[in-house]
Amino acid sequence: MVDSQYFLPNDIGISALDCTEAFRLLSPREKLYAHYLSRSAWYGGLAVLLQTSPESASIFVLLQRLFRKQPAAQLESMATAAGLSPEEYQAFLVYAAGLYANMGNYKSFGDTKFIPNLPKEKLKALVWQSQAFQDSPSEMEALWDSCSTLLFSLEDQQKQLGLGDKGVTTYFSGNCCLEDAELAQKFLDSKNLSAYNTRLFKNKSEEGKASYEVRLASAVQKGENCAVDGEGESRCGRYDFEDCVFMVSRGDYAYLMKKVSENLEKAKNHAANENQKRMLEEYAQSFTFGSIEAHKEGSRFWIKDKGPIVESERFAKLVSSAEVLLPELPWPKDFEKDRFLLPDFTSLDVLTFAGSGIPAGINIPNYDDIRQSEGFKNVSLGNVLAVAYATQKDKLTFLDEEDKDMYIKWKGPSFEVQVGLHELLGHGSGKLFVQDEKGNFNFEQDNVRNPETGEQITTWYKGNETWDSKFSTISCSYEECRAECVGLYLCLNKHVLSIFGHEDEDAKEVVYINWLNMVRAGLLGLEFFTPESKSWRQAHMQARFVILRVLLEAGEGLVNLKESTGKDGRPDALITLDRSKVHTVGKAAIERFLCKLQVIKSTADVEGGRALYEGYSAVSDTGSHNFLRLRETVLLRKEARKMFVQANTRVKGESVELVEYEGSAAGLIRSFTERFADDAEEVEAHLLELNKRDAPCWC
């Protein structure tokens, strides 16, 4: 039962992301703009392979060479000759599709490793039978030898991503632990450097001092200790810090970053306005020199580029209602931004989303200081929503039969409401109390009171401190929890529901299913908890488990969770929600909790935040519910997360054509083998070179 979580099932859902109509509506110039942005994204996305595990890039190249020589249908005859059954060959195709969809051999949603669901000897036999092996036997054998052991390994530390003894990471060298990461963050803060585009490598001691290298991802490699033409101020160089030595260098993933920048420059030639041009100039600068400041500047121009081609009327109404809805949130007005920065809120179809996994909605940019003072955009990804949450009744777990029918009918509409509120008024709300470098406060220090205690505010963010740097390991999940709570709280508002076209009885069903979906998601979230390390592997699912705990704690029969035995005789569970108590017991519980979350965030109360959040995140076998045992039941009955097949674009003469693929493992594989058609061998050679250079760092 437990081992099944490390395989992708043969019947896993794989859907094509349809963007045909949205792409058709673009002008020829806009299509070229989209094409070069896509190319930039796909090259940049390859860096995720190198950031996931030591073996991911080699496995990617192995698969690319197999399938570039023989498409999935042709390779099947080789598989038969190698002794694979049809089920085993399908398992191999699903594994390959999973590697491409996650850009590595760990799940993007949950960070768990997955391996091929067939014997290692049979996969080796298939590789040896392949045309790629016949053409280049020594190269293919070397590739196999470089990655096959880790490809199948399920040693404890290799089962999940994590730092130190908690798992696998290639953001830090193998000899780094949490204390090294915390020290490096303090160093970065002292130099006003962001960690977003860095990796940390711990080197041999220098004159008795611990020595670290901070690598910036950039196309430029030369001039490591000084500024280079066009860069401005450089922060590269050697620094002494807290009896340690830090060397800041550039040039990480240089080949890929150069490809990113080149395609951004090409996209700039087809930009529609000055904001788009300036945005792309700054982004290219960022990837060329490794400057997060340039990336932030690009984000500022992106925020100003309002009103994209395709826009959702409902989301536009939600944006215009934001200033009316924000005061409804359960914290004093001093804890809300002084001025709400009206964002764009659009519903877009995904053409290209390179990296590991695709969300249903995004609030960007990710820089909280920009969101606080300059603005942001919200994007609902329409073609992802259309296929990601379609559910078959026989695969709906832990609900009673009556709830299942309503769930299927109202899950889509309710999730649209939740995504809108989560992104716009969740991530877009709340103020951080800051004292800048000059000693100035952005709040009335003498007058603002903590609504939890009635006392004067005594903690805040100072200088270069940010939400991420202060709250570090809990920041992401904590913020997702806050945004989810905002969605639950405001979906009770009739005005919000009417914006989305829901009135009367329909509105009641949307509220009920939104809350029911949240408590069920909290139970499903147990899949993403690792008992051995007592750690969570997915921010959103940890957040939903926390909300489940809060609503269970509210009592009065609001939520009931019972273990049971299924019709198949195996362990099962049932979760129910009393709809008559959502507006009373439920609302009051979320109101109290949401206020606590915001007050802690506003006041930079790291100690209080950790105590609260880690307390609700604890998974144990004691108390009113045995969550460790329930986790085993969730694993037993889990459904694999869907994978998406994305289109390619290619220039033909003066126009750009959209190349689409079927929603299957073979279609997903083909989309990747055709994605780098013009320079596949060069790309693969550089990936292997980058991988080989850092290989000694992971031991």
Side-chain angles (χ1 to χ4, degrees):
M1 179 187 72
V2 175
D3 283 349
S4 68
Q5 69 178 303
Y6 303 108
F7 299 120
L8 301 177
N10 278 9
D11 63 350
I12 191 171
I14 302 176
S15 300
L17 282 183
D18 180 15
C19 60
T20 309
E21 183 63 13
F23 192 77
R24 185 187 67 79
L25 292 170
L26 299 179
S27 69
R29 181 176 184 173
E30 289 163 348
K31 287 179 179 177
L32 283 163
Y33 181 76
H35 167 75
Y36 288 114
L37 277 179
S38 290
R39 297 311 302 157
S40 179
W42 286 123
Y43 283 116
L46 293 172
V48 178
L49 293 163
L50 298 158
Q51 292 175 325
T52 297
S53 71
E55 66 273 15
S56 287
S58 297
I59 300 171
F60 176 87
V61 174
L62 178 72
L63 294 173
Q64 287 288 83
R65 291 187 177 174
L66 284 173
F67 290 112
R68 279 197 293 109
K69 290 288 185 180
Q70 293 171 290
Q74 288 183 23
L75 193 62
E76 187 168 12
S77 61
M78 305 292 104
T80 303
L84 277 71
S85 68
E87 292 75 22
E88 288 171 332
Y89 184 60
Q90 178 63 19
F92 169 59
L93 294 184
V94 165
Y95 174 80
L99 189 287
Y100 289 130
N102 292 281
M103 287 308 280
N105 58 337
Y106 288 76
K107 295 174 187 174
S108 63
F109 199 87
D111 294 345
T112 310
K113 189 174 187 178
F114 58 95
I115 66 173
N117 192 11
L118 70 158
K120 181 178 178 180
E121 301 73 30
K122 289 199 173 184
L123 182 52
K124 180 179 180 179
L126 170 58
V127 172
W128 260 245
Q129 285 278 346
S130 69
Q131 188 63 50
F133 190 90
Q134 305 310 312
D135 292 349
S136 307
S138 58
E139 286 184 30
M140 291 298 288
E141 185 170 0
L143 253 181
W144 173 263
D145 289 343
S146 72
C147 66
S148 58
T149 299
L150 287 175
L151 195 156
F152 279 91
S153 173
L154 281 177
E155 291 185 15
D156 284 346
Q157 188 170 347
Q158 291 161 359
K159 287 180 178 178
Q160 64 280 318
L161 298 178
L163 176 58
D165 59 2
K166 292 192 173 182
V168 169
T169 180
T170 49
Y171 285 107
F172 298 85
S173 57
N175 55 353
C176 284
C177 62
L178 182 60
E179 287 73 21
D180 296 303
E182 290 173 341
L183 175 65
Q185 183 64 61
K186 287 172 67 178
F187 164 73
L188 292 172
D189 288 343
S190 75
K191 299 300 176 188
N192 197 21
L193 271 168
S194 169
Y196 279 150
N197 65 339
T198 69
R199 293 196 292 169
L200 182 70
F201 294 81
K202 190 175 184 179
N203 301 319
K204 290 181 180 178
S205 296
E206 220 178 275
E207 300 173 357
K209 295 182 177 182
S211 174
Y212 300 90
E213 180 188 10
V214 176
R215 287 190 200 163
L216 307 177
S218 70
V220 168
Q221 300 180 76
K222 61 186 178 182
E224 291 176 351
N225 298 328
C226 59
V228 292
D229 289 345
E231 180 191 15
E233 182 186 359
S234 174
R235 294 194 179 92
C236 294
R238 183 187 184 280
Y239 301 91
D240 291 306
F241 181 79
E242 293 197 4
D243 206 33
C244 298
V245 175
F246 279 87
M247 176 67 74
V248 180
S249 64
R250 57 164 65 88
D252 215 5
Y253 316 127
Y255 171 79
L256 297 177
M257 297 301 99
K258 187 170 186 288
K259 288 282 193 181
V260 170
S261 297
E262 287 172 350
N263 281 282
L264 289 173
E265 291 290 345
K266 291 177 181 177
K268 191 178 76 172
N269 296 330
H270 307 285
N273 54 54
E274 192 62 24
N275 279 324
Q276 288 182 5
K277 287 180 182 176
R278 294 294 304 277
M279 171 189 78
L280 294 179
E281 284 173 359
E282 295 293 343
Y283 284 161
Q285 183 92 340
S286 172
F287 293 113
T288 299
F289 298 114
S291 168
I292 290 296
E293 285 305 315
H295 197 274
K296 281 188 171 183
E297 196 63 24
S299 298
R300 291 183 174 103
F301 285 111
W302 181 73
I303 293 166
K304 295 174 186 175
D305 185 29
K306 302 283 187 181
I309 303 294
V310 184
E311 186 166 316
S312 165
E313 184 182 355
R314 290 192 295 277
F315 292 138
K317 287 181 180 177
L318 186 62
V319 169
S320 64
S321 301
E323 290 179 272
V324 177
L325 294 171
L326 281 169
E328 298 291 317
L329 291 169
W331 48 76
K333 62 182 178 61
D334 289 322
F335 287 75
E336 190 49 69
K337 294 186 181 77
D338 302 325
R339 180 173 61 92
F340 181 69
L341 301 163
L342 208 66
D344 254 6
F345 201 142
T346 56
S347 179
L348 305 177
D349 282 349
V350 170
L351 168 65
T352 298
F353 202 109
S356 54
I358 309 175
I362 332 169
N363 176 285
I364 30 185
N366 273 337
Y367 306 111
D368 216 29
D369 53 338
I370 292 181
R371 288 202 295 226
Q372 286 280 317
S373 58
E374 299 178 54
F376 53 92
K377 285 189 184 184
N378 295 273
V379 178
S380 175
L381 303 176
N383 56 346
V384 177
L385 281 168
V387 295
Y389 299 99
T391 309
Q392 297 174 356
K393 188 174 180 179
D394 61 349
K395 291 189 175 182
L396 259 182
T397 51
F398 311 128
L399 298 178
D400 67 26
E401 292 302 310
E402 185 179 345
D403 278 343
K404 286 181 182 180
D405 291 328
M406 285 188 290
Y407 187 94
I408 289 169
K409 181 178 180 180
W410 294 106
K411 171 67 188 298
S414 71
F415 195 74
E416 182 185 47
V417 173
Q418 181 68 13
V419 167
L421 294 171
H422 174 114
E423 300 297 347
L424 174 65
L425 298 171
H427 292 313
S429 65
K431 180 176 182 174
L432 302 185
F433 295 156
V434 179
Q435 181 184 22
D436 65 22
E437 292 91 339
K438 296 178 181 178
N440 300 317
F441 292 89
N442 71 341
F443 67 103
E444 295 184 14
Q445 185 195 6
D446 295 332
N447 298 327
V448 177
R449 300 280 164 175
N450 184 324
E452 297 286 308
T453 64
E455 297 173 357
Q456 198 170 319
I457 301 300
T458 57
T459 55
W460 47 81
Y461 299 85
K462 298 174 183 176
N464 295 322
E465 292 177 343
T466 66
W467 162 249
D468 288 325
S469 70
K470 285 289 284 183
F471 284 77
S472 62
T473 54
I474 67 166
S475 63
C476 184
S477 183
Y478 186 110
E479 173 60 11
E480 294 303 335
C481 185
R482 195 183 68 88
E484 291 283 47
C485 287
V486 168
L488 286 180
Y489 189 72
L490 288 181
C491 84
L492 302 176
N493 185 300
K494 288 184 178 180
H495 177 55
V496 167
L497 295 165
S498 67
I499 288 172
F500 285 87
H502 307 305
E503 306 282 355
D504 304 324
E505 291 303 313
D506 286 359
K508 292 177 183 177
E509 299 300 338
V510 166
V511 168
Y512 176 63
I513 294 303
N514 193 33
W515 279 62
L516 180 66
N517 179 55
M518 187 62 69
V519 294
R520 176 177 180 262
L523 177 60
L524 298 180
L526 286 167
E527 174 190 343
F528 302 95
F529 177 76
T530 303
E532 293 79 10
S533 58
K534 296 183 179 179
S535 62
W536 285 88
R537 308 187 311 276
Q538 214 293 320
H540 295 80
M541 299 310 281
Q542 179 182 359
R544 291 158 188 164
F545 176 76
V546 166
I547 293 170
L548 170 62
R549 291 282 309 276
V550 169
L551 294 178
L552 283 168
E553 183 181 85
E556 299 187 47
L558 173 68
V559 177
N560 279 295
L561 174 57
K562 295 179 181 177
E563 296 184 67
S564 62
T565 301
K567 293 178 181 178
D568 56 6
R570 299 191 298 174
D572 207 341
L574 178 68
I575 192 161
T576 57
L577 172 72
D578 186 338
R579 66 164 66 216
S580 71
K581 296 177 179 175
V582 168
H583 281 266
T584 53
V585 180
K587 181 180 180 180
I590 291 296
E591 185 173 61
R592 289 190 299 271
F593 186 61
L594 186 49
C595 187
K596 283 182 183 177
L597 291 176
Q598 183 57 49
V599 169
I600 287 168
K601 182 180 180 184
S602 291
T603 58
D605 180 8
V606 178
E607 187 177 337
R610 285 198 176 276
L612 177 74
Y613 202 69
E614 290 175 354
Y616 278 110
S617 298
V619 177
S620 73
D621 55 3
T622 60
S624 55
H625 296 91
N626 187 333
F627 285 115
L628 281 175
R629 190 167 62 217
L630 278 163
R631 177 181 175 273
E632 296 298 317
T633 303
V634 169
L635 287 174
L636 178 70
R637 299 189 178 276
K638 74 184 181 73
E639 182 182 3
R641 193 171 175 84
K642 288 181 179 176
M643 298 190 287
F644 300 116
V645 184
Q646 298 183 63
N648 280 321
T649 55
R650 59 182 172 218
V651 178
K652 293 201 78 174
E654 298 294 311
S655 63
V656 179
E657 68 176 17
L658 187 71
V659 184
E660 297 184 284
Y661 305 90
E662 67 177 23
S664 66
L668 206 164
I669 291 164
R670 187 179 161 209
S671 73
F672 268 88
T673 56
E674 295 184 2
R675 195 148 280 153
F676 305 98
D678 297 334
D679 55 2
E681 292 186 6
E682 178 187 294
V683 167
E684 291 162 15
H686 278 280
L687 277 175
L688 293 177
E689 181 184 328
L690 289 168
N691 206 42
K692 183 179 180 182
R693 185 193 69 179
D694 290 335
C697 299
W698 319 128
C699 301

